Amino acid sequence: MGAGAGDVVVRWARRAARDLEHRKDEINRLNVFPIPDSDTGANLSATMAAAVDALAGTGAGTGEGGGAGARAGADAGPGTGEGAGAGETVDAGGGTGTGDGTGQGPDVAVVTAALAGGAVRGARGNSGTVLGQVLRALADVASTGELGAGSLARIMTTAVRYVTEALSTPVEGTALTVLRAAADAATDARGPAVDVARAAADAARAALARTPDLLPVLREAGVVDAGGRGFVVLLDALVETLGGDGDGRAGAGGEGGDRGGGAGLGGAGGAASDGDTPGGAAGAGSAGAPAGGPARDAAHGPAHTHTPTGADAGTGTGAGAGAGAGDPAHAHARTHAPAGAELEVMFHFRGETAAALDDLRRMMDGRGHSVVLGRDTATSATVHVHTGDAGALIEDAFALGTVSDLRIEALPSTSPTPRRHPGPGAGLLALVPAGPLRDVFAEAGAETDADAELGERCVVLTNGRDATPVIDHLEADRRQFSVIDTECYVGGLAALAVHDATNDWQDDVEDMADAVASQRWTSISCDGDGAGVDAGTLARRIRDLLESGGELVTLLYTSAVPAETVADVQRALAEDAPGVEIHAYRADGMECAVQIGVE
């Protein structure tokens, strides 16, 4: 490891920490996803400050300026700063010196390991945990050889992988999208390190401007992604550290949240087109799934209403109107947001084996959302989760391994639109296995506990599960109820998307049944092992279902399907399917690896 590279990394880290602190209020105002708690800028700034604080004892000194060597890509030469040493291809101009006084400067492997450790252990919030994984990628690449222009692409592509692995549900239109664009540009760029960094920063800025086209909540708020904005600040700091033009791009975009307005955020300028028309034959089925979803008897439909003796009789079938009632896109989108006040829980976790981290993620997916698991070793990680059941989650975490640095903060009670609840005297019961899928249905307005109080009348969404015990119980209670044979979980979500508690109960049942009948769906790998579920297969199945039209795709997947595969599908459809929204949810506990529904 050359001394000059360590010096450059130290100067970049300090500049990045300074710029994030300066820009934190601007970034906070952009923060609307995953919840609008206006702390992304503060979390990024605090995490980068923790990383820089960890440099103490590495020989990095206390100054902010540069050390030895020539500018990026130039021939190495004698240093000009106090403590300067031999130059390296990534080094920049002279300054006030960060070396250790030996003429060699700090070792880059030691410096980057300190930054990564400080960021992972000192991470604040979702965005800080992601930043820790970016710095972990820097440290891993630095540990394998000298840093140079070619190293930047490896660092960024490694960061994309680490961040994707950290997120239980990767979402496009976020910092991940911006990071991937930077990595792609760095891979294609040629020349000295400063030119590669500038290409990555420009690509990141252009991708940031397009984030509202990929994430509806950003488009509705008129902002770009806050985490992505922070990553652009980091790249601009790198360009300036490597001897770039110092044009102040770290502050580009002004103080507002305009998505394409001030210098720097505009990038490509304006909204990007989503792409071309999907093709393929409709409704390719797979093991146990009828092609294109189940065929239904038009005379009876998927709903059946039971009225106890002595009650007013009614029918539970409907045809024609009602399939398009409500706003399916926004009903599904609301499942991303918590329905009420929750807690943000963060802690550092260490297990005896790597499998303990997998067990921890499964547990957190079942008890919360916005799950990020940022590893620092094969058996330890900093954990971030939003949950309404913090006590049980923490208790389960202690049972799985060693928990330290526990932090709990209240989240604002926010919901962009009111959660749909059953009307007075009525209830909705969805038959769903334990795990994260229950949270999806609960946020859409359904009860998932068969023992819950359901009111005088209720609707049962079978979701392909055996409803006999529930029906027997309801009949014994002499309650009026309707059973909608949704046949799959995506069918249950389609019914909930059009549910209207203010509507007449029987009309509401008919509308939900019609929505189920109108949906096209399929499942993949019904043995649940995920075999053969790759991005190409998923994208092809979705395009097949879209052949007959549709504007909303719901994709449920289990842990058998890599998160990177889902992210690739989301990215491909964002480019190829105009006007189509795709919502993906972890659904461990399903009998198959994937279910896809198109409405």
Side-chain angles (χ1 to χ4, degrees), residues 89-129:
T89 55
V90 298
D91 210 350
T96 58
T98 61
D100 59 5
T102 66
Q104 296 301 310
D107 184 272
V108 69
V110 174
V111 163
T112 55
L115 288 171
V120 172
R121 292 299 296 259
R124 294 293 184 271
N126 187 318
S127 55
T129 309

PDB file of all heavy atoms in Angstrom, residues 89-129:
ATOM      1  N   THR A  89      -0.972   7.056  -7.939  1.00  0.00           N
ATOM      2  CA  THR A  89      -1.816   7.494  -9.049  1.00  0.00           C
ATOM      3  C   THR A  89      -3.077   8.183  -8.607  1.00  0.00           C
ATOM      4  O   THR A  89      -3.646   8.965  -9.341  1.00  0.00           O
ATOM      5  CB  THR A  89      -2.179   6.302  -9.935  1.00  0.00           C
ATOM      6  OG1 THR A  89      -2.773   5.287  -9.123  1.00  0.00           O
ATOM      7  CG2 THR A  89      -0.958   5.743 -10.615  1.00  0.00           C
ATOM      8  N   VAL A  90      -3.598   7.891  -7.410  1.00  0.00           N
ATOM      9  CA  VAL A  90      -4.821   8.555  -6.990  1.00  0.00           C
ATOM     10  C   VAL A  90      -4.555   9.809  -6.165  1.00  0.00           C
ATOM     11  O   VAL A  90      -5.486  10.439  -5.696  1.00  0.00           O
ATOM     12  CB  VAL A  90      -5.712   7.610  -6.155  1.00  0.00           C
ATOM     13  CG1 VAL A  90      -6.121   6.427  -6.966  1.00  0.00           C
ATOM     14  CG2 VAL A  90      -5.015   7.182  -4.888  1.00  0.00           C
ATOM     15  N   ASP A  91      -3.272  10.185  -5.967  1.00  0.00           N
ATOM     16  CA  ASP A  91      -2.990  11.294  -5.070  1.00  0.00           C
ATOM     17  C   ASP A  91      -3.342  12.621  -5.726  1.00  0.00           C
ATOM     18  O   ASP A  91      -3.474  12.759  -6.921  1.00  0.00           O
ATOM     19  CB  ASP A  91      -1.496  11.270  -4.688  1.00  0.00           C
ATOM     20  CG  ASP A  91      -1.274  11.844  -3.301  1.00  0.00           C
ATOM     21  OD1 ASP A  91      -2.229  12.412  -2.746  1.00  0.00           O
ATOM     22  OD2 ASP A  91      -0.142  11.699  -2.797  1.00  0.00           O
ATOM     23  N   ALA A  92      -3.464  13.641  -4.891  1.00  0.00           N
ATOM     24  CA  ALA A  92      -3.812  14.977  -5.359  1.00  0.00           C
ATOM     25  C   ALA A  92      -2.735  15.947  -4.935  1.00  0.00           C
ATOM     26  O   ALA A  92      -1.675  15.575  -4.460  1.00  0.00           O
ATOM     27  CB  ALA A  92      -5.169  15.381  -4.789  1.00  0.00           C
ATOM     28  N   GLY A  93      -3.012  17.220  -5.094  1.00  0.00           N
ATOM     29  CA  GLY A  93      -2.015  18.240  -4.840  1.00  0.00           C
ATOM     30  C   GLY A  93      -1.657  18.415  -3.385  1.00  0.00           C
ATOM     31  O   GLY A  93      -2.240  17.822  -2.497  1.00  0.00           O
ATOM     32  N   GLY A  94      -0.690  19.270  -3.118  1.00  0.00           N
ATOM     33  CA  GLY A  94      -0.188  19.455  -1.766  1.00  0.00           C
ATOM     34  C   GLY A  94      -1.153  20.196  -0.887  1.00  0.00           C
ATOM     35  O   GLY A  94      -2.172  20.679  -1.279  1.00  0.00           O
ATOM     36  N   GLY A  95      -0.791  20.290   0.397  1.00  0.00           N
ATOM     37  CA  GLY A  95      -1.650  20.991   1.327  1.00  0.00           C
ATOM     38  C   GLY A  95      -0.980  21.083   2.673  1.00  0.00           C
ATOM     39  O   GLY A  95       0.236  21.162   2.779  1.00  0.00           O
ATOM     40  N   THR A  96      -1.779  21.018   3.724  1.00  0.00           N
ATOM     41  CA  THR A  96      -1.235  21.230   5.052  1.00  0.00           C
ATOM     42  C   THR A  96      -0.809  19.959   5.740  1.00  0.00           C
ATOM     43  O   THR A  96      -0.406  19.986   6.885  1.00  0.00           O
ATOM     44  CB  THR A  96      -2.284  21.933   5.935  1.00  0.00           C
ATOM     45  OG1 THR A  96      -3.454  21.108   5.963  1.00  0.00           O
ATOM     46  CG2 THR A  96      -2.621  23.284   5.378  1.00  0.00           C
ATOM     47  N   GLY A  97      -0.962  18.816   5.089  1.00  0.00           N
ATOM     48  CA  GLY A  97      -0.371  17.591   5.601  1.00  0.00           C
ATOM     49  C   GLY A  97      -1.252  16.805   6.535  1.00  0.00           C
ATOM     50  O   GLY A  97      -1.726  17.316   7.531  1.00  0.00           O
ATOM     51  N   THR A  98      -1.462  15.536   6.196  1.00  0.00           N
ATOM     52  CA  THR A  98      -2.160  14.632   7.101  1.00  0.00           C
ATOM     53  C   THR A  98      -1.290  13.450   7.446  1.00  0.00           C
ATOM     54  O   THR A  98      -1.744  12.493   8.035  1.00  0.00           O
ATOM     55  CB  THR A  98      -3.459  14.115   6.453  1.00  0.00           C
ATOM     56  OG1 THR A  98      -3.107  13.401   5.272  1.00  0.00           O
ATOM     57  CG2 THR A  98      -4.384  15.253   6.110  1.00  0.00           C
ATOM     58  N   GLY A  99      -0.046  13.481   7.070  1.00  0.00           N
ATOM     59  CA  GLY A  99       0.847  12.351   7.297  1.00  0.00           C
ATOM     60  C   GLY A  99       1.207  12.168   8.755  1.00  0.00           C
ATOM     61  O   GLY A  99       0.895  12.977   9.611  1.00  0.00           O
ATOM     62  N   ASP A 100       1.907  11.086   9.018  1.00  0.00           N
ATOM     63  CA  ASP A 100       2.272  10.753  10.393  1.00  0.00           C
ATOM     64  C   ASP A 100       3.649  11.250  10.769  1.00  0.00           C
ATOM     65  O   ASP A 100       4.174  10.911  11.816  1.00  0.00           O
ATOM     66  CB  ASP A 100       2.182   9.231  10.602  1.00  0.00           C
ATOM     67  CG  ASP A 100       3.104   8.471   9.653  1.00  0.00           C
ATOM     68  OD1 ASP A 100       3.867   9.127   8.915  1.00  0.00           O
ATOM     69  OD2 ASP A 100       3.057   7.218   9.662  1.00  0.00           O
ATOM     70  N   GLY A 101       4.244  12.065   9.901  1.00  0.00           N
ATOM     71  CA  GLY A 101       5.542  12.621  10.202  1.00  0.00           C
ATOM     72  C   GLY A 101       6.692  11.738   9.781  1.00  0.00           C
ATOM     73  O   GLY A 101       7.837  12.092   9.980  1.00  0.00           O
ATOM     74  N   THR A 102       6.409  10.600   9.198  1.00  0.00           N
ATOM     75  CA  THR A 102       7.466   9.677   8.803  1.00  0.00           C
ATOM     76  C   THR A 102       7.861   9.855   7.353  1.00  0.00           C
ATOM     77  O   THR A 102       8.777   9.203   6.878  1.00  0.00           O
ATOM     78  CB  THR A 102       6.992   8.230   8.989  1.00  0.00           C
ATOM     79  OG1 THR A 102       5.914   7.972   8.073  1.00  0.00           O
ATOM     80  CG2 THR A 102       6.516   7.991  10.411  1.00  0.00           C
ATOM     81  N   GLY A 103       7.130  10.696   6.639  1.00  0.00           N
ATOM     82  CA  GLY A 103       7.363  10.826   5.210  1.00  0.00           C
ATOM     83  C   GLY A 103       6.607   9.790   4.420  1.00  0.00           C
ATOM     84  O   GLY A 103       6.684   9.774   3.207  1.00  0.00           O
ATOM     85  N   GLN A 104       5.867   8.914   5.091  1.00  0.00           N
ATOM     86  CA  GLN A 104       5.126   7.863   4.388  1.00  0.00           C
ATOM     87  C   GLN A 104       3.629   8.090   4.410  1.00  0.00           C
ATOM     88  O   GLN A 104       2.919   7.601   3.561  1.00  0.00           O
ATOM     89  CB  GLN A 104       5.438   6.501   5.024  1.00  0.00           C
ATOM     90  CG  GLN A 104       6.901   6.096   4.875  1.00  0.00           C
ATOM     91  CD  GLN A 104       7.323   6.004   3.423  1.00  0.00           C
ATOM     92  OE1 GLN A 104       6.662   5.380   2.620  1.00  0.00           O
ATOM     93  NE2 GLN A 104       8.433   6.659   3.087  1.00  0.00           N
ATOM     94  N   GLY A 105       3.129   8.838   5.390  1.00  0.00           N
ATOM     95  CA  GLY A 105       1.700   9.053   5.470  1.00  0.00           C
ATOM     96  C   GLY A 105       0.986   7.810   5.966  1.00  0.00           C
ATOM     97  O   GLY A 105       1.571   6.761   6.159  1.00  0.00           O
ATOM     98  N   PRO A 106      -0.321   7.920   6.187  1.00  0.00           N
ATOM     99  CA  PRO A 106      -1.090   6.790   6.716  1.00  0.00           C
ATOM    100  C   PRO A 106      -1.238   5.683   5.690  1.00  0.00           C
ATOM    101  O   PRO A 106      -1.372   5.934   4.496  1.00  0.00           O
ATOM    102  CB  PRO A 106      -2.436   7.414   7.066  1.00  0.00           C
ATOM    103  CG  PRO A 106      -2.559   8.584   6.136  1.00  0.00           C
ATOM    104  CD  PRO A 106      -1.165   9.111   5.963  1.00  0.00           C
ATOM    105  N   ASP A 107      -1.244   4.446   6.160  1.00  0.00           N
ATOM    106  CA  ASP A 107      -1.429   3.302   5.277  1.00  0.00           C
ATOM    107  C   ASP A 107      -2.884   3.228   4.835  1.00  0.00           C
ATOM    108  O   ASP A 107      -3.797   3.308   5.650  1.00  0.00           O
ATOM    109  CB  ASP A 107      -1.045   2.021   6.004  1.00  0.00           C
ATOM    110  CG  ASP A 107      -1.138   0.818   5.092  1.00  0.00           C
ATOM    111  OD1 ASP A 107      -2.221   0.227   5.008  1.00  0.00           O
ATOM    112  OD2 ASP A 107      -0.119   0.495   4.456  1.00  0.00           O
ATOM    113  N   VAL A 108      -3.103   3.067   3.536  1.00  0.00           N
ATOM    114  CA  VAL A 108      -4.460   3.138   3.001  1.00  0.00           C
ATOM    115  C   VAL A 108      -5.334   2.018   3.531  1.00  0.00           C
ATOM    116  O   VAL A 108      -6.537   2.196   3.746  1.00  0.00           O
ATOM    117  CB  VAL A 108      -4.431   3.142   1.455  1.00  0.00           C
ATOM    118  CG1 VAL A 108      -3.971   1.795   0.906  1.00  0.00           C
ATOM    119  CG2 VAL A 108      -5.800   3.507   0.887  1.00  0.00           C
ATOM    120  N   ALA A 109      -4.771   0.828   3.757  1.00  0.00           N
ATOM    121  CA  ALA A 109      -5.581  -0.272   4.283  1.00  0.00           C
ATOM    122  C   ALA A 109      -6.042   0.028   5.700  1.00  0.00           C
ATOM    123  O   ALA A 109      -7.192  -0.250   6.068  1.00  0.00           O
ATOM    124  CB  ALA A 109      -4.789  -1.570   4.249  1.00  0.00           C
ATOM    125  N   VAL A 110      -5.162   0.613   6.501  1.00  0.00           N
ATOM    126  CA  VAL A 110      -5.513   0.956   7.874  1.00  0.00           C
ATOM    127  C   VAL A 110      -6.559   2.064   7.888  1.00  0.00           C
ATOM    128  O   VAL A 110      -7.544   2.016   8.640  1.00  0.00           O
ATOM    129  CB  VAL A 110      -4.261   1.382   8.647  1.00  0.00           C
ATOM    130  CG1 VAL A 110      -4.622   1.888  10.046  1.00  0.00           C
ATOM    131  CG2 VAL A 110      -3.281   0.222   8.751  1.00  0.00           C
ATOM    132  N   VAL A 111      -6.356   3.066   7.041  1.00  0.00           N
ATOM    133  CA  VAL A 111      -7.277   4.209   6.979  1.00  0.00           C
ATOM    134  C   VAL A 111      -8.675   3.770   6.559  1.00  0.00           C
ATOM    135  O   VAL A 111      -9.682   4.123   7.184  1.00  0.00           O
ATOM    136  CB  VAL A 111      -6.724   5.271   6.007  1.00  0.00           C
ATOM    137  CG1 VAL A 111      -7.818   6.261   5.598  1.00  0.00           C
ATOM    138  CG2 VAL A 111      -5.555   6.013   6.642  1.00  0.00           C
ATOM    139  N   THR A 112      -8.765   3.012   5.478  1.00  0.00           N
ATOM    140  CA  THR A 112     -10.077   2.620   4.971  1.00  0.00           C
ATOM    141  C   THR A 112     -10.784   1.658   5.923  1.00  0.00           C
ATOM    142  O   THR A 112     -12.013   1.716   6.073  1.00  0.00           O
ATOM    143  CB  THR A 112      -9.967   1.987   3.577  1.00  0.00           C
ATOM    144  OG1 THR A 112      -9.037   0.890   3.616  1.00  0.00           O
ATOM    145  CG2 THR A 112      -9.488   3.015   2.560  1.00  0.00           C
ATOM    146  N   ALA A 113     -10.028   0.779   6.578  1.00  0.00           N
ATOM    147  CA  ALA A 113     -10.640  -0.119   7.569  1.00  0.00           C
ATOM    148  C   ALA A 113     -11.210   0.687   8.730  1.00  0.00           C
ATOM    149  O   ALA A 113     -12.293   0.372   9.254  1.00  0.00           O
ATOM    150  CB  ALA A 113      -9.622  -1.132   8.069  1.00  0.00           C
ATOM    151  N   ALA A 114     -10.496   1.729   9.146  1.00  0.00           N
ATOM    152  CA  ALA A 114     -10.985   2.576  10.237  1.00  0.00           C
ATOM    153  C   ALA A 114     -12.255   3.313   9.831  1.00  0.00           C
ATOM    154  O   ALA A 114     -13.215   3.403  10.601  1.00  0.00           O
ATOM    155  CB  ALA A 114      -9.900   3.572  10.648  1.00  0.00           C
ATOM    156  N   LEU A 115     -12.258   3.848   8.609  1.00  0.00           N
ATOM    157  CA  LEU A 115     -13.455   4.548   8.130  1.00  0.00           C
ATOM    158  C   LEU A 115     -14.661   3.619   8.084  1.00  0.00           C
ATOM    159  O   LEU A 115     -15.767   3.975   8.525  1.00  0.00           O
ATOM    160  CB  LEU A 115     -13.198   5.137   6.741  1.00  0.00           C
ATOM    161  CG  LEU A 115     -12.265   6.335   6.646  1.00  0.00           C
ATOM    162  CD1 LEU A 115     -11.965   6.644   5.178  1.00  0.00           C
ATOM    163  CD2 LEU A 115     -12.877   7.559   7.327  1.00  0.00           C
ATOM    164  N   ALA A 116     -14.462   2.421   7.540  1.00  0.00           N
ATOM    165  CA  ALA A 116     -15.567   1.474   7.426  1.00  0.00           C
ATOM    166  C   ALA A 116     -16.071   1.060   8.801  1.00  0.00           C
ATOM    167  O   ALA A 116     -17.286   1.033   9.059  1.00  0.00           O
ATOM    168  CB  ALA A 116     -15.134   0.242   6.631  1.00  0.00           C
ATOM    169  N   GLY A 117     -15.139   0.733   9.704  1.00  0.00           N
ATOM    170  CA  GLY A 117     -15.552   0.332  11.038  1.00  0.00           C
ATOM    171  C   GLY A 117     -16.291   1.430  11.769  1.00  0.00           C
ATOM    172  O   GLY A 117     -17.304   1.191  12.424  1.00  0.00           O
ATOM    173  N   GLY A 118     -15.780   2.655  11.652  1.00  0.00           N
ATOM    174  CA  GLY A 118     -16.442   3.782  12.308  1.00  0.00           C
ATOM    175  C   GLY A 118     -17.829   4.035  11.764  1.00  0.00           C
ATOM    176  O   GLY A 118     -18.761   4.341  12.511  1.00  0.00           O
ATOM    177  N   ALA A 119     -17.990   3.892  10.432  1.00  0.00           N
ATOM    178  CA  ALA A 119     -19.298   4.141   9.820  1.00  0.00           C
ATOM    179  C   ALA A 119     -20.298   3.046  10.154  1.00  0.00           C
ATOM    180  O   ALA A 119     -21.464   3.327  10.450  1.00  0.00           O
ATOM    181  CB  ALA A 119     -19.151   4.273   8.305  1.00  0.00           C
ATOM    182  N   VAL A 120     -19.859   1.787  10.087  1.00  0.00           N
ATOM    183  CA  VAL A 120     -20.791   0.684  10.373  1.00  0.00           C
ATOM    184  C   VAL A 120     -21.238   0.728  11.827  1.00  0.00           C
ATOM    185  O   VAL A 120     -22.431   0.600  12.127  1.00  0.00           O
ATOM    186  CB  VAL A 120     -20.148  -0.671  10.023  1.00  0.00           C
ATOM    187  CG1 VAL A 120     -21.026  -1.822  10.502  1.00  0.00           C
ATOM    188  CG2 VAL A 120     -19.928  -0.787   8.514  1.00  0.00           C
ATOM    189  N   ARG A 121     -20.292   0.908  12.741  1.00  0.00           N
ATOM    190  CA  ARG A 121     -20.650   0.916  14.160  1.00  0.00           C
ATOM    191  C   ARG A 121     -21.344   2.213  14.561  1.00  0.00           C
ATOM    192  O   ARG A 121     -22.163   2.221  15.480  1.00  0.00           O
ATOM    193  CB  ARG A 121     -19.405   0.705  15.023  1.00  0.00           C
ATOM    194  CG  ARG A 121     -18.777  -0.668  14.910  1.00  0.00           C
ATOM    195  CD  ARG A 121     -19.727  -1.767  15.337  1.00  0.00           C
ATOM    196  NE  ARG A 121     -20.085  -1.691  16.748  1.00  0.00           N
ATOM    197  CZ  ARG A 121     -19.550  -2.458  17.701  1.00  0.00           C
ATOM    198  NH1 ARG A 121     -18.629  -3.356  17.387  1.00  0.00           N
ATOM    199  NH2 ARG A 121     -19.937  -2.336  18.956  1.00  0.00           N
ATOM    200  N   GLY A 122     -21.041   3.298  13.868  1.00  0.00           N
ATOM    201  CA  GLY A 122     -21.638   4.585  14.225  1.00  0.00           C
ATOM    202  C   GLY A 122     -22.776   5.006  13.320  1.00  0.00           C
ATOM    203  O   GLY A 122     -23.196   6.167  13.353  1.00  0.00           O
ATOM    204  N   ALA A 123     -23.305   4.086  12.521  1.00  0.00           N
ATOM    205  CA  ALA A 123     -24.352   4.413  11.552  1.00  0.00           C
ATOM    206  C   ALA A 123     -25.597   4.963  12.240  1.00  0.00           C
ATOM    207  O   ALA A 123     -26.004   4.505  13.300  1.00  0.00           O
ATOM    208  CB  ALA A 123     -24.708   3.178  10.730  1.00  0.00           C
ATOM    209  N   ARG A 124     -26.200   5.943  11.594  1.00  0.00           N
ATOM    210  CA  ARG A 124     -27.459   6.507  12.055  1.00  0.00           C
ATOM    211  C   ARG A 124     -28.499   6.338  10.943  1.00  0.00           C
ATOM    212  O   ARG A 124     -28.287   6.779   9.819  1.00  0.00           O
ATOM    213  CB  ARG A 124     -27.308   7.996  12.397  1.00  0.00           C
ATOM    214  CG  ARG A 124     -26.397   8.274  13.582  1.00  0.00           C
ATOM    215  CD  ARG A 124     -27.013   7.734  14.878  1.00  0.00           C
ATOM    216  NE  ARG A 124     -26.208   8.063  16.055  1.00  0.00           N
ATOM    217  CZ  ARG A 124     -25.232   7.314  16.531  1.00  0.00           C
ATOM    218  NH1 ARG A 124     -24.912   6.184  15.915  1.00  0.00           N
ATOM    219  NH2 ARG A 124     -24.573   7.669  17.611  1.00  0.00           N
ATOM    220  N   GLY A 125     -29.584   5.696  11.260  1.00  0.00           N
ATOM    221  CA  GLY A 125     -30.687   5.576  10.325  1.00  0.00           C
ATOM    222  C   GLY A 125     -30.406   4.647   9.157  1.00  0.00           C
ATOM    223  O   GLY A 125     -29.326   4.065   9.014  1.00  0.00           O
ATOM    224  N   ASN A 126     -31.427   4.518   8.326  1.00  0.00           N
ATOM    225  CA  ASN A 126     -31.338   3.695   7.111  1.00  0.00           C
ATOM    226  C   ASN A 126     -30.198   4.153   6.219  1.00  0.00           C
ATOM    227  O   ASN A 126     -29.361   3.355   5.777  1.00  0.00           O
ATOM    228  CB  ASN A 126     -32.688   3.801   6.388  1.00  0.00           C
ATOM    229  CG  ASN A 126     -32.808   2.881   5.205  1.00  0.00           C
ATOM    230  OD1 ASN A 126     -31.878   2.732   4.434  1.00  0.00           O
ATOM    231  ND2 ASN A 126     -33.975   2.282   5.043  1.00  0.00           N
ATOM    232  N   SER A 127     -30.134   5.466   5.968  1.00  0.00           N
ATOM    233  CA  SER A 127     -29.130   5.993   5.042  1.00  0.00           C
ATOM    234  C   SER A 127     -27.722   5.845   5.582  1.00  0.00           C
ATOM    235  O   SER A 127     -26.781   5.570   4.839  1.00  0.00           O
ATOM    236  CB  SER A 127     -29.426   7.474   4.741  1.00  0.00           C
ATOM    237  OG  SER A 127     -29.504   8.218   5.950  1.00  0.00           O
ATOM    238  N   GLY A 128     -27.546   5.995   6.901  1.00  0.00           N
ATOM    239  CA  GLY A 128     -26.226   5.817   7.484  1.00  0.00           C
ATOM    240  C   GLY A 128     -25.754   4.377   7.406  1.00  0.00           C
ATOM    241  O   GLY A 128     -24.564   4.111   7.193  1.00  0.00           O
ATOM    242  N   THR A 129     -26.677   3.440   7.560  1.00  0.00           N
ATOM    243  CA  THR A 129     -26.314   2.031   7.445  1.00  0.00           C
ATOM    244  C   THR A 129     -25.873   1.715   6.025  1.00  0.00           C
ATOM    245  O   THR A 129     -24.926   0.945   5.806  1.00  0.00           O
ATOM    246  CB  THR A 129     -27.508   1.148   7.853  1.00  0.00           C
ATOM    247  OG1 THR A 129     -27.997   1.573   9.131  1.00  0.00           O
ATOM    248  CG2 THR A 129     -27.092  -0.311   7.951  1.00  0.00           C
TER     249      THR A 129
END
